Amino acid sequence: MKRKRYDMEKKKTELQTAIEELSLFIITKPVDNTETTHIPLRPLLSFCNLIIQVLDKIGPTMAVLRQDIDQNIERLEKVCETDPCVYSNLVEILKKERNEGTYKMVASCSRALLWLTRTMDFTAGLLRLLSKEMSSKMEELVEETYLATLKLHHGWIASAAFRVCLKLVPDNKTFMDAIGGRDESYETLREDIETLSSLLTPILKEIFIVLEQFGLNRLRSM
């Protein structure tokens, strides 16, 4: 029985596991007070770790993003470990750093959450495009998504680095084969992509609302 359960788990793709993670993700949002919103830290970081594995399939283009995601996850994990009961809620981390006057600093956890959310927004946008335009060139889809999401917050150095890496994006078939299951049809894969995107988008919307309340949404990189 244990062996059979292990085999079933082994067959799941990163997308399917990510869908399961997001299905259990709940943001508690009181109607009249954003600062009492509860955004669970651990489930969000667990999902981000899964998304790293999906982004890896795009190749070296995502190397810079991957490094940023790793660093941001590590930064948030460290502050949570200082008081797991309090900082299991991401809003408490934002409040702590705002009160300390450090929330807009480059190495702050608030900024780490901001860039994690933006990267997930890029991922959700790419998945939406991919599910609708599976025959389009992967390079074009990645560039279109980048221009609509991360490019808005990147300075010229980050934008130039991304353009160089863009030429290393794999073709559609290579990417789809990499993120899909061994015996999974493209239609099933499309459904998984649409499901993940539909679950992720409203979660990101709620997190962006909180970030806006803390005055973080307009921060840029170099």
mmCIF file with all atom_site columns, all heavy atoms in Angstrom, residues 94 97-98 100-112 114-115 211-220:
data_model
loop_
_atom_site.group_PDB
_atom_site.id
_atom_site.type_symbol
_atom_site.label_atom_id
_atom_site.label_alt_id
_atom_site.label_comp_id
_atom_site.label_asym_id
_atom_site.label_entity_id
_atom_site.label_seq_id
_atom_site.pdbx_PDB_ins_code
_atom_site.Cartn_x
_atom_site.Cartn_y
_atom_site.Cartn_z
_atom_site.occupancy
_atom_site.B_iso_or_equiv
_atom_site.pdbx_formal_charge
_atom_site.auth_seq_id
_atom_site.auth_comp_id
_atom_site.auth_asym_id
_atom_site.auth_atom_id
_atom_site.pdbx_PDB_model_num
ATOM 1   N N   . LEU A 1 94  ? 5.599  42.728 7.668   1.00 0.00 ? 94  LEU A N   1
ATOM 2   C CA  . LEU A 1 94  ? 5.515  44.063 7.081   1.00 0.00 ? 94  LEU A CA  1
ATOM 3   C C   . LEU A 1 94  ? 5.364  45.126 8.172   1.00 0.00 ? 94  LEU A C   1
ATOM 4   O O   . LEU A 1 94  ? 6.011  46.178 8.132   1.00 0.00 ? 94  LEU A O   1
ATOM 5   C CB  . LEU A 1 94  ? 4.337  44.142 6.113   1.00 0.00 ? 94  LEU A CB  1
ATOM 6   C CG  . LEU A 1 94  ? 4.377  43.247 4.868   1.00 0.00 ? 94  LEU A CG  1
ATOM 7   C CD1 . LEU A 1 94  ? 3.083  43.401 4.069   1.00 0.00 ? 94  LEU A CD1 1
ATOM 8   C CD2 . LEU A 1 94  ? 5.578  43.574 3.998   1.00 0.00 ? 94  LEU A CD2 1
ATOM 9   N N   . GLU A 1 97  ? 8.725  45.646 10.165  1.00 0.00 ? 97  GLU A N   1
ATOM 10  C CA  . GLU A 1 97  ? 9.764  46.417 9.469   1.00 0.00 ? 97  GLU A CA  1
ATOM 11  C C   . GLU A 1 97  ? 9.340  47.864 9.230   1.00 0.00 ? 97  GLU A C   1
ATOM 12  O O   . GLU A 1 97  ? 10.179 48.765 9.233   1.00 0.00 ? 97  GLU A O   1
ATOM 13  C CB  . GLU A 1 97  ? 10.126 45.733 8.155   1.00 0.00 ? 97  GLU A CB  1
ATOM 14  C CG  . GLU A 1 97  ? 10.836 44.414 8.373   1.00 0.00 ? 97  GLU A CG  1
ATOM 15  C CD  . GLU A 1 97  ? 11.437 43.841 7.095   1.00 0.00 ? 97  GLU A CD  1
ATOM 16  O OE1 . GLU A 1 97  ? 10.962 44.203 5.990   1.00 0.00 ? 97  GLU A OE1 1
ATOM 17  O OE2 . GLU A 1 97  ? 12.372 43.037 7.198   1.00 0.00 ? 97  GLU A OE2 1
ATOM 18  N N   . ARG A 1 98  ? 8.041  48.094 9.056   1.00 0.00 ? 98  ARG A N   1
ATOM 19  C CA  . ARG A 1 98  ? 7.576  49.478 8.929   1.00 0.00 ? 98  ARG A CA  1
ATOM 20  C C   . ARG A 1 98  ? 7.827  50.234 10.233  1.00 0.00 ? 98  ARG A C   1
ATOM 21  O O   . ARG A 1 98  ? 8.293  51.385 10.219  1.00 0.00 ? 98  ARG A O   1
ATOM 22  C CB  . ARG A 1 98  ? 6.091  49.508 8.577   1.00 0.00 ? 98  ARG A CB  1
ATOM 23  C CG  . ARG A 1 98  ? 5.551  50.934 8.363   1.00 0.00 ? 98  ARG A CG  1
ATOM 24  C CD  . ARG A 1 98  ? 4.054  50.954 8.302   1.00 0.00 ? 98  ARG A CD  1
ATOM 25  N NE  . ARG A 1 98  ? 3.451  50.402 9.523   1.00 0.00 ? 98  ARG A NE  1
ATOM 26  C CZ  . ARG A 1 98  ? 2.170  50.142 9.657   1.00 0.00 ? 98  ARG A CZ  1
ATOM 27  N NH1 . ARG A 1 98  ? 1.333  50.350 8.657   1.00 0.00 ? 98  ARG A NH1 1
ATOM 28  N NH2 . ARG A 1 98  ? 1.703  49.643 10.794  1.00 0.00 ? 98  ARG A NH2 1
ATOM 29  N N   . GLU A 1 100 ? 10.086 49.631 12.391  1.00 0.00 ? 100 GLU A N   1
ATOM 30  C CA  . GLU A 1 100 ? 11.536 49.796 12.550  1.00 0.00 ? 100 GLU A CA  1
ATOM 31  C C   . GLU A 1 100 ? 12.118 50.779 11.538  1.00 0.00 ? 100 GLU A C   1
ATOM 32  O O   . GLU A 1 100 ? 13.278 51.191 11.655  1.00 0.00 ? 100 GLU A O   1
ATOM 33  C CB  . GLU A 1 100 ? 12.237 48.447 12.405  1.00 0.00 ? 100 GLU A CB  1
ATOM 34  C CG  . GLU A 1 100 ? 11.897 47.450 13.501  1.00 0.00 ? 100 GLU A CG  1
ATOM 35  C CD  . GLU A 1 100 ? 12.455 46.062 13.210  1.00 0.00 ? 100 GLU A CD  1
ATOM 36  O OE1 . GLU A 1 100 ? 12.877 45.809 12.068  1.00 0.00 ? 100 GLU A OE1 1
ATOM 37  O OE2 . GLU A 1 100 ? 12.457 45.221 14.131  1.00 0.00 ? 100 GLU A OE2 1
ATOM 38  N N   . GLY A 1 101 ? 11.322 51.122 10.512  1.00 0.00 ? 101 GLY A N   1
ATOM 39  C CA  . GLY A 1 101 ? 11.804 52.020 9.472   1.00 0.00 ? 101 GLY A CA  1
ATOM 40  C C   . GLY A 1 101 ? 12.709 51.354 8.458   1.00 0.00 ? 101 GLY A C   1
ATOM 41  O O   . GLY A 1 101 ? 13.444 52.018 7.723   1.00 0.00 ? 101 GLY A O   1
ATOM 42  N N   . THR A 1 102 ? 12.657 50.011 8.371   1.00 0.00 ? 102 THR A N   1
ATOM 43  C CA  . THR A 1 102 ? 13.565 49.281 7.470   1.00 0.00 ? 102 THR A CA  1
ATOM 44  C C   . THR A 1 102 ? 12.846 48.639 6.287   1.00 0.00 ? 102 THR A C   1
ATOM 45  O O   . THR A 1 102 ? 13.476 47.995 5.459   1.00 0.00 ? 102 THR A O   1
ATOM 46  C CB  . THR A 1 102 ? 14.282 48.162 8.249   1.00 0.00 ? 102 THR A CB  1
ATOM 47  O OG1 . THR A 1 102 ? 13.302 47.241 8.783   1.00 0.00 ? 102 THR A OG1 1
ATOM 48  C CG2 . THR A 1 102 ? 15.105 48.731 9.396   1.00 0.00 ? 102 THR A CG2 1
ATOM 49  N N   . TYR A 1 103 ? 11.524 48.804 6.188   1.00 0.00 ? 103 TYR A N   1
ATOM 50  C CA  . TYR A 1 103 ? 10.751 48.011 5.229   1.00 0.00 ? 103 TYR A CA  1
ATOM 51  C C   . TYR A 1 103 ? 11.037 48.335 3.761   1.00 0.00 ? 103 TYR A C   1
ATOM 52  O O   . TYR A 1 103 ? 10.779 47.510 2.890   1.00 0.00 ? 103 TYR A O   1
ATOM 53  C CB  . TYR A 1 103 ? 9.254  48.140 5.520   1.00 0.00 ? 103 TYR A CB  1
ATOM 54  C CG  . TYR A 1 103 ? 8.632  49.486 5.252   1.00 0.00 ? 103 TYR A CG  1
ATOM 55  C CD1 . TYR A 1 103 ? 7.633  49.631 4.296   1.00 0.00 ? 103 TYR A CD1 1
ATOM 56  C CD2 . TYR A 1 103 ? 9.017  50.612 5.972   1.00 0.00 ? 103 TYR A CD2 1
ATOM 57  C CE1 . TYR A 1 103 ? 7.040  50.859 4.064   1.00 0.00 ? 103 TYR A CE1 1
ATOM 58  C CE2 . TYR A 1 103 ? 8.428  51.836 5.749   1.00 0.00 ? 103 TYR A CE2 1
ATOM 59  C CZ  . TYR A 1 103 ? 7.442  51.965 4.791   1.00 0.00 ? 103 TYR A CZ  1
ATOM 60  O OH  . TYR A 1 103 ? 6.863  53.175 4.563   1.00 0.00 ? 103 TYR A OH  1
ATOM 61  N N   . LYS A 1 104 ? 11.616 49.500 3.467   1.00 0.00 ? 104 LYS A N   1
ATOM 62  C CA  . LYS A 1 104 ? 11.935 49.823 2.082   1.00 0.00 ? 104 LYS A CA  1
ATOM 63  C C   . LYS A 1 104 ? 13.407 49.605 1.743   1.00 0.00 ? 104 LYS A C   1
ATOM 64  O O   . LYS A 1 104 ? 13.835 49.859 0.623   1.00 0.00 ? 104 LYS A O   1
ATOM 65  C CB  . LYS A 1 104 ? 11.541 51.272 1.776   1.00 0.00 ? 104 LYS A CB  1
ATOM 66  C CG  . LYS A 1 104 ? 10.038 51.503 1.745   1.00 0.00 ? 104 LYS A CG  1
ATOM 67  C CD  . LYS A 1 104 ? 9.698  52.905 1.290   1.00 0.00 ? 104 LYS A CD  1
ATOM 68  C CE  . LYS A 1 104 ? 8.183  53.101 1.236   1.00 0.00 ? 104 LYS A CE  1
ATOM 69  N NZ  . LYS A 1 104 ? 7.817  54.472 0.770   1.00 0.00 ? 104 LYS A NZ  1
ATOM 70  N N   . MET A 1 105 ? 14.170 49.112 2.701   1.00 0.00 ? 105 MET A N   1
ATOM 71  C CA  . MET A 1 105 ? 15.593 48.857 2.462   1.00 0.00 ? 105 MET A CA  1
ATOM 72  C C   . MET A 1 105 ? 15.767 47.658 1.539   1.00 0.00 ? 105 MET A C   1
ATOM 73  O O   . MET A 1 105 ? 14.922 46.762 1.491   1.00 0.00 ? 105 MET A O   1
ATOM 74  C CB  . MET A 1 105 ? 16.310 48.633 3.788   1.00 0.00 ? 105 MET A CB  1
ATOM 75  C CG  . MET A 1 105 ? 16.328 49.879 4.679   1.00 0.00 ? 105 MET A CG  1
ATOM 76  S SD  . MET A 1 105 ? 17.111 49.603 6.283   1.00 0.00 ? 105 MET A SD  1
ATOM 77  C CE  . MET A 1 105 ? 18.813 49.344 5.775   1.00 0.00 ? 105 MET A CE  1
ATOM 78  N N   . VAL A 1 106 ? 16.880 47.637 0.808   1.00 0.00 ? 106 VAL A N   1
ATOM 79  C CA  . VAL A 1 106 ? 17.128 46.603 -0.209  1.00 0.00 ? 106 VAL A CA  1
ATOM 80  C C   . VAL A 1 106 ? 17.068 45.198 0.377   1.00 0.00 ? 106 VAL A C   1
ATOM 81  O O   . VAL A 1 106 ? 16.533 44.279 -0.250  1.00 0.00 ? 106 VAL A O   1
ATOM 82  C CB  . VAL A 1 106 ? 18.499 46.841 -0.882  1.00 0.00 ? 106 VAL A CB  1
ATOM 83  C CG1 . VAL A 1 106 ? 18.831 45.682 -1.820  1.00 0.00 ? 106 VAL A CG1 1
ATOM 84  C CG2 . VAL A 1 106 ? 18.497 48.161 -1.647  1.00 0.00 ? 106 VAL A CG2 1
ATOM 85  N N   . ALA A 1 107 ? 17.593 45.020 1.585   1.00 0.00 ? 107 ALA A N   1
ATOM 86  C CA  . ALA A 1 107 ? 17.656 43.675 2.177   1.00 0.00 ? 107 ALA A CA  1
ATOM 87  C C   . ALA A 1 107 ? 16.497 43.371 3.109   1.00 0.00 ? 107 ALA A C   1
ATOM 88  O O   . ALA A 1 107 ? 16.566 42.409 3.885   1.00 0.00 ? 107 ALA A O   1
ATOM 89  C CB  . ALA A 1 107 ? 18.989 43.499 2.918   1.00 0.00 ? 107 ALA A CB  1
ATOM 90  N N   . SER A 1 108 ? 15.431 44.142 3.047   1.00 0.00 ? 108 SER A N   1
ATOM 91  C CA  . SER A 1 108 ? 14.298 43.916 3.952   1.00 0.00 ? 108 SER A CA  1
ATOM 92  C C   . SER A 1 108 ? 13.455 42.725 3.519   1.00 0.00 ? 108 SER A C   1
ATOM 93  O O   . SER A 1 108 ? 13.426 42.350 2.346   1.00 0.00 ? 108 SER A O   1
ATOM 94  C CB  . SER A 1 108 ? 13.421 45.168 4.016   1.00 0.00 ? 108 SER A CB  1
ATOM 95  O OG  . SER A 1 108 ? 12.731 45.356 2.791   1.00 0.00 ? 108 SER A OG  1
ATOM 96  N N   . CYS A 1 109 ? 12.751 42.156 4.465   1.00 0.00 ? 109 CYS A N   1
ATOM 97  C CA  . CYS A 1 109 ? 11.812 41.071 4.159   1.00 0.00 ? 109 CYS A CA  1
ATOM 98  C C   . CYS A 1 109 ? 10.601 41.601 3.394   1.00 0.00 ? 109 CYS A C   1
ATOM 99  O O   . CYS A 1 109 ? 10.004 40.883 2.594   1.00 0.00 ? 109 CYS A O   1
ATOM 100 C CB  . CYS A 1 109 ? 11.364 40.394 5.449   1.00 0.00 ? 109 CYS A CB  1
ATOM 101 S SG  . CYS A 1 109 ? 12.626 39.383 6.221   1.00 0.00 ? 109 CYS A SG  1
ATOM 102 N N   . SER A 1 110 ? 10.230 42.846 3.674   1.00 0.00 ? 110 SER A N   1
ATOM 103 C CA  . SER A 1 110 ? 9.115  43.458 2.955   1.00 0.00 ? 110 SER A CA  1
ATOM 104 C C   . SER A 1 110 ? 9.422  43.514 1.458   1.00 0.00 ? 110 SER A C   1
ATOM 105 O O   . SER A 1 110 ? 8.570  43.210 0.626   1.00 0.00 ? 110 SER A O   1
ATOM 106 C CB  . SER A 1 110 ? 8.865  44.875 3.484   1.00 0.00 ? 110 SER A CB  1
ATOM 107 O OG  . SER A 1 110 ? 8.577  44.855 4.862   1.00 0.00 ? 110 SER A OG  1
ATOM 108 N N   . ARG A 1 111 ? 10.635 43.891 1.159   1.00 0.00 ? 111 ARG A N   1
ATOM 109 C CA  . ARG A 1 111 ? 11.047 43.946 -0.238  1.00 0.00 ? 111 ARG A CA  1
ATOM 110 C C   . ARG A 1 111 ? 11.140 42.535 -0.833  1.00 0.00 ? 111 ARG A C   1
ATOM 111 O O   . ARG A 1 111 ? 10.843 42.319 -2.007  1.00 0.00 ? 111 ARG A O   1
ATOM 112 C CB  . ARG A 1 111 ? 12.390 44.659 -0.354  1.00 0.00 ? 111 ARG A CB  1
ATOM 113 C CG  . ARG A 1 111 ? 12.554 45.434 -1.644  1.00 0.00 ? 111 ARG A CG  1
ATOM 114 C CD  . ARG A 1 111 ? 13.734 46.377 -1.566  1.00 0.00 ? 111 ARG A CD  1
ATOM 115 N NE  . ARG A 1 111 ? 13.901 47.002 -2.861  1.00 0.00 ? 111 ARG A NE  1
ATOM 116 C CZ  . ARG A 1 111 ? 13.941 48.300 -3.063  1.00 0.00 ? 111 ARG A CZ  1
ATOM 117 N NH1 . ARG A 1 111 ? 13.777 49.129 -2.060  1.00 0.00 ? 111 ARG A NH1 1
ATOM 118 N NH2 . ARG A 1 111 ? 14.121 48.786 -4.272  1.00 0.00 ? 111 ARG A NH2 1
ATOM 119 N N   . ALA A 1 112 ? 11.569 41.571 -0.012  1.00 0.00 ? 112 ALA A N   1
ATOM 120 C CA  . ALA A 1 112 ? 11.630 40.181 -0.464  1.00 0.00 ? 112 ALA A CA  1
ATOM 121 C C   . ALA A 1 112 ? 10.243 39.692 -0.858  1.00 0.00 ? 112 ALA A C   1
ATOM 122 O O   . ALA A 1 112 ? 10.064 39.038 -1.895  1.00 0.00 ? 112 ALA A O   1
ATOM 123 C CB  . ALA A 1 112 ? 12.215 39.296 0.641   1.00 0.00 ? 112 ALA A CB  1
ATOM 124 N N   . LEU A 1 114 ? 7.737  41.590 -1.776  1.00 0.00 ? 114 LEU A N   1
ATOM 125 C CA  . LEU A 1 114 ? 7.342  42.338 -2.968  1.00 0.00 ? 114 LEU A CA  1
ATOM 126 C C   . LEU A 1 114 ? 7.851  41.659 -4.235  1.00 0.00 ? 114 LEU A C   1
ATOM 127 O O   . LEU A 1 114 ? 7.089  41.434 -5.185  1.00 0.00 ? 114 LEU A O   1
ATOM 128 C CB  . LEU A 1 114 ? 7.890  43.769 -2.881  1.00 0.00 ? 114 LEU A CB  1
ATOM 129 C CG  . LEU A 1 114 ? 7.702  44.646 -4.118  1.00 0.00 ? 114 LEU A CG  1
ATOM 130 C CD1 . LEU A 1 114 ? 6.227  44.938 -4.351  1.00 0.00 ? 114 LEU A CD1 1
ATOM 131 C CD2 . LEU A 1 114 ? 8.502  45.946 -3.972  1.00 0.00 ? 114 LEU A CD2 1
ATOM 132 N N   . TRP A 1 115 ? 9.134  41.283 -4.243  1.00 0.00 ? 115 TRP A N   1
ATOM 133 C CA  . TRP A 1 115 ? 9.706  40.694 -5.458  1.00 0.00 ? 115 TRP A CA  1
ATOM 134 C C   . TRP A 1 115 ? 9.267  39.250 -5.667  1.00 0.00 ? 115 TRP A C   1
ATOM 135 O O   . TRP A 1 115 ? 9.138  38.792 -6.805  1.00 0.00 ? 115 TRP A O   1
ATOM 136 C CB  . TRP A 1 115 ? 11.229 40.825 -5.447  1.00 0.00 ? 115 TRP A CB  1
ATOM 137 C CG  . TRP A 1 115 ? 11.629 42.213 -5.823  1.00 0.00 ? 115 TRP A CG  1
ATOM 138 C CD1 . TRP A 1 115 ? 12.050 43.210 -4.993  1.00 0.00 ? 115 TRP A CD1 1
ATOM 139 C CD2 . TRP A 1 115 ? 11.549 42.787 -7.133  1.00 0.00 ? 115 TRP A CD2 1
ATOM 140 N NE1 . TRP A 1 115 ? 12.262 44.357 -5.715  1.00 0.00 ? 115 TRP A NE1 1
ATOM 141 C CE2 . TRP A 1 115 ? 11.962 44.139 -7.018  1.00 0.00 ? 115 TRP A CE2 1
ATOM 142 C CE3 . TRP A 1 115 ? 11.187 42.304 -8.388  1.00 0.00 ? 115 TRP A CE3 1
ATOM 143 C CZ2 . TRP A 1 115 ? 12.028 45.001 -8.111  1.00 0.00 ? 115 TRP A CZ2 1
ATOM 144 C CZ3 . TRP A 1 115 ? 11.232 43.158 -9.478  1.00 0.00 ? 115 TRP A CZ3 1
ATOM 145 C CH2 . TRP A 1 115 ? 11.655 44.488 -9.340  1.00 0.00 ? 115 TRP A CH2 1
ATOM 146 N N   . LEU A 1 211 ? 0.457  45.046 -0.074  1.00 0.00 ? 211 LEU A N   1
ATOM 147 C CA  . LEU A 1 211 ? 1.721  45.736 -0.367  1.00 0.00 ? 211 LEU A CA  1
ATOM 148 C C   . LEU A 1 211 ? 1.485  47.208 -0.693  1.00 0.00 ? 211 LEU A C   1
ATOM 149 O O   . LEU A 1 211 ? 2.272  48.076 -0.301  1.00 0.00 ? 211 LEU A O   1
ATOM 150 C CB  . LEU A 1 211 ? 2.428  45.040 -1.534  1.00 0.00 ? 211 LEU A CB  1
ATOM 151 C CG  . LEU A 1 211 ? 2.992  43.645 -1.243  1.00 0.00 ? 211 LEU A CG  1
ATOM 152 C CD1 . LEU A 1 211 ? 3.420  42.958 -2.532  1.00 0.00 ? 211 LEU A CD1 1
ATOM 153 C CD2 . LEU A 1 211 ? 4.169  43.737 -0.272  1.00 0.00 ? 211 LEU A CD2 1
ATOM 154 N N   . GLU A 1 212 ? 0.398  47.489 -1.379  1.00 0.00 ? 212 GLU A N   1
ATOM 155 C CA  . GLU A 1 212 ? 0.052  48.873 -1.709  1.00 0.00 ? 212 GLU A CA  1
ATOM 156 C C   . GLU A 1 212 ? -0.265 49.665 -0.438  1.00 0.00 ? 212 GLU A C   1
ATOM 157 O O   . GLU A 1 212 ? 0.143  50.830 -0.304  1.00 0.00 ? 212 GLU A O   1
ATOM 158 C CB  . GLU A 1 212 ? -1.160 48.900 -2.655  1.00 0.00 ? 212 GLU A CB  1
ATOM 159 C CG  . GLU A 1 212 ? -1.637 50.301 -3.018  1.00 0.00 ? 212 GLU A CG  1
ATOM 160 C CD  . GLU A 1 212 ? -0.643 51.076 -3.847  1.00 0.00 ? 212 GLU A CD  1
ATOM 161 O OE1 . GLU A 1 212 ? 0.122  50.460 -4.617  1.00 0.00 ? 212 GLU A OE1 1
ATOM 162 O OE2 . GLU A 1 212 ? -0.637 52.320 -3.719  1.00 0.00 ? 212 GLU A OE2 1
ATOM 163 N N   . GLN A 1 213 ? -0.950 49.044 0.494   1.00 0.00 ? 213 GLN A N   1
ATOM 164 C CA  . GLN A 1 213 ? -1.277 49.709 1.758   1.00 0.00 ? 213 GLN A CA  1
ATOM 165 C C   . GLN A 1 213 ? -0.022 50.078 2.540   1.00 0.00 ? 213 GLN A C   1
ATOM 166 O O   . GLN A 1 213 ? -0.005 51.058 3.283   1.00 0.00 ? 213 GLN A O   1
ATOM 167 C CB  . GLN A 1 213 ? -2.170 48.800 2.614   1.00 0.00 ? 213 GLN A CB  1
ATOM 168 C CG  . GLN A 1 213 ? -3.571 48.596 2.058   1.00 0.00 ? 213 GLN A CG  1
ATOM 169 C CD  . GLN A 1 213 ? -4.387 49.878 2.050   1.00 0.00 ? 213 GLN A CD  1
ATOM 170 O OE1 . GLN A 1 213 ? -4.316 50.669 2.985   1.00 0.00 ? 213 GLN A OE1 1
ATOM 171 N NE2 . GLN A 1 213 ? -5.147 50.096 0.989   1.00 0.00 ? 213 GLN A NE2 1
ATOM 172 N N   . PHE A 1 214 ? 1.038  49.311 2.358   1.00 0.00 ? 214 PHE A N   1
ATOM 173 C CA  . PHE A 1 214 ? 2.300  49.578 3.045   1.00 0.00 ? 214 PHE A CA  1
ATOM 174 C C   . PHE A 1 214 ? 3.250  50.434 2.194   1.00 0.00 ? 214 PHE A C   1
ATOM 175 O O   . PHE A 1 214 ? 4.404  50.643 2.557   1.00 0.00 ? 214 PHE A O   1
ATOM 176 C CB  . PHE A 1 214 ? 2.981  48.267 3.433   1.00 0.00 ? 214 PHE A CB  1
ATOM 177 C CG  . PHE A 1 214 ? 2.411  47.637 4.672   1.00 0.00 ? 214 PHE A CG  1
ATOM 178 C CD1 . PHE A 1 214 ? 1.275  46.841 4.607   1.00 0.00 ? 214 PHE A CD1 1
ATOM 179 C CD2 . PHE A 1 214 ? 2.999  47.853 5.916   1.00 0.00 ? 214 PHE A CD2 1
ATOM 180 C CE1 . PHE A 1 214 ? 0.733  46.264 5.749   1.00 0.00 ? 214 PHE A CE1 1
ATOM 181 C CE2 . PHE A 1 214 ? 2.464  47.282 7.060   1.00 0.00 ? 214 PHE A CE2 1
ATOM 182 C CZ  . PHE A 1 214 ? 1.328  46.488 6.976   1.00 0.00 ? 214 PHE A CZ  1
ATOM 183 N N   . GLY A 1 215 ? 2.771  50.896 1.049   1.00 0.00 ? 215 GLY A N   1
ATOM 184 C CA  . GLY A 1 215 ? 3.562  51.786 0.205   1.00 0.00 ? 215 GLY A CA  1
ATOM 185 C C   . GLY A 1 215 ? 4.740  51.137 -0.491  1.00 0.00 ? 215 GLY A C   1
ATOM 186 O O   . GLY A 1 215 ? 5.761  51.784 -0.747  1.00 0.00 ? 215 GLY A O   1
ATOM 187 N N   . LEU A 1 216 ? 4.605  49.843 -0.839  1.00 0.00 ? 216 LEU A N   1
ATOM 188 C CA  . LEU A 1 216 ? 5.729  49.104 -1.413  1.00 0.00 ? 216 LEU A CA  1
ATOM 189 C C   . LEU A 1 216 ? 5.638  48.885 -2.925  1.00 0.00 ? 216 LEU A C   1
ATOM 190 O O   . LEU A 1 216 ? 6.648  48.589 -3.565  1.00 0.00 ? 216 LEU A O   1
ATOM 191 C CB  . LEU A 1 216 ? 5.860  47.737 -0.721  1.00 0.00 ? 216 LEU A CB  1
ATOM 192 C CG  . LEU A 1 216 ? 6.302  47.778 0.749   1.00 0.00 ? 216 LEU A CG  1
ATOM 193 C CD1 . LEU A 1 216 ? 5.995  46.460 1.427   1.00 0.00 ? 216 LEU A CD1 1
ATOM 194 C CD2 . LEU A 1 216 ? 7.790  48.096 0.838   1.00 0.00 ? 216 LEU A CD2 1
ATOM 195 N N   . ASN A 1 217 ? 4.470  49.023 -3.498  1.00 0.00 ? 217 ASN A N   1
ATOM 196 C CA  . ASN A 1 217 ? 4.270  48.620 -4.894  1.00 0.00 ? 217 ASN A CA  1
ATOM 197 C C   . ASN A 1 217 ? 5.091  49.396 -5.912  1.00 0.00 ? 217 ASN A C   1
ATOM 198 O O   . ASN A 1 217 ? 5.331  48.914 -7.017  1.00 0.00 ? 217 ASN A O   1
ATOM 199 C CB  . ASN A 1 217 ? 2.787  48.726 -5.276  1.00 0.00 ? 217 ASN A CB  1
ATOM 200 C CG  . ASN A 1 217 ? 2.021  47.484 -4.866  1.00 0.00 ? 217 ASN A CG  1
ATOM 201 O OD1 . ASN A 1 217 ? 2.596  46.512 -4.392  1.00 0.00 ? 217 ASN A OD1 1
ATOM 202 N ND2 . ASN A 1 217 ? 0.717  47.504 -5.059  1.00 0.00 ? 217 ASN A ND2 1
ATOM 203 N N   . ARG A 1 218 ? 5.572  50.591 -5.569  1.00 0.00 ? 218 ARG A N   1
ATOM 204 C CA  . ARG A 1 218 ? 6.269  51.414 -6.554  1.00 0.00 ? 218 ARG A CA  1
ATOM 205 C C   . ARG A 1 218 ? 7.788  51.264 -6.496  1.00 0.00 ? 218 ARG A C   1
ATOM 206 O O   . ARG A 1 218 ? 8.501  51.926 -7.264  1.00 0.00 ? 218 ARG A O   1
ATOM 207 C CB  . ARG A 1 218 ? 5.877  52.886 -6.381  1.00 0.00 ? 218 ARG A CB  1
ATOM 208 C CG  . ARG A 1 218 ? 4.420  53.160 -6.712  1.00 0.00 ? 218 ARG A CG  1
ATOM 209 C CD  . ARG A 1 218 ? 4.044  54.622 -6.463  1.00 0.00 ? 218 ARG A CD  1
ATOM 210 N NE  . ARG A 1 218 ? 2.657  54.872 -6.803  1.00 0.00 ? 218 ARG A NE  1
ATOM 211 C CZ  . ARG A 1 218 ? 1.632  54.587 -6.026  1.00 0.00 ? 218 ARG A CZ  1
ATOM 212 N NH1 . ARG A 1 218 ? 1.850  54.021 -4.845  1.00 0.00 ? 218 ARG A NH1 1
ATOM 213 N NH2 . ARG A 1 218 ? 0.395  54.839 -6.397  1.00 0.00 ? 218 ARG A NH2 1
ATOM 214 N N   . LEU A 1 219 ? 8.284  50.422 -5.615  1.00 0.00 ? 219 LEU A N   1
ATOM 215 C CA  . LEU A 1 219 ? 9.735  50.234 -5.511  1.00 0.00 ? 219 LEU A CA  1
ATOM 216 C C   . LEU A 1 219 ? 10.275 49.519 -6.750  1.00 0.00 ? 219 LEU A C   1
ATOM 217 O O   . LEU A 1 219 ? 9.654  48.608 -7.277  1.00 0.00 ? 219 LEU A O   1
ATOM 218 C CB  . LEU A 1 219 ? 10.083 49.421 -4.261  1.00 0.00 ? 219 LEU A CB  1
ATOM 219 C CG  . LEU A 1 219 ? 9.738  50.081 -2.911  1.00 0.00 ? 219 LEU A CG  1
ATOM 220 C CD1 . LEU A 1 219 ? 10.170 49.190 -1.779  1.00 0.00 ? 219 LEU A CD1 1
ATOM 221 C CD2 . LEU A 1 219 ? 10.380 51.454 -2.796  1.00 0.00 ? 219 LEU A CD2 1
ATOM 222 N N   . ARG A 1 220 ? 11.451 49.954 -7.220  1.00 0.00 ? 220 ARG A N   1
ATOM 223 C CA  . ARG A 1 220 ? 12.057 49.396 -8.431  1.00 0.00 ? 220 ARG A CA  1
ATOM 224 C C   . ARG A 1 220 ? 13.416 48.795 -8.124  1.00 0.00 ? 220 ARG A C   1
ATOM 225 O O   . ARG A 1 220 ? 14.024 49.060 -7.089  1.00 0.00 ? 220 ARG A O   1
ATOM 226 C CB  . ARG A 1 220 ? 12.228 50.492 -9.500  1.00 0.00 ? 220 ARG A CB  1
ATOM 227 C CG  . ARG A 1 220 ? 10.924 51.010 -10.069 1.00 0.00 ? 220 ARG A CG  1
ATOM 228 C CD  . ARG A 1 220 ? 11.152 52.267 -10.869 1.00 0.00 ? 220 ARG A CD  1
ATOM 229 N NE  . ARG A 1 220 ? 12.101 52.087 -11.958 1.00 0.00 ? 220 ARG A NE  1
ATOM 230 C CZ  . ARG A 1 220 ? 11.788 51.656 -13.184 1.00 0.00 ? 220 ARG A CZ  1
ATOM 231 N NH1 . ARG A 1 220 ? 10.531 51.348 -13.470 1.00 0.00 ? 220 ARG A NH1 1
ATOM 232 N NH2 . ARG A 1 220 ? 12.692 51.537 -14.134 1.00 0.00 ? 220 ARG A NH2 1
#
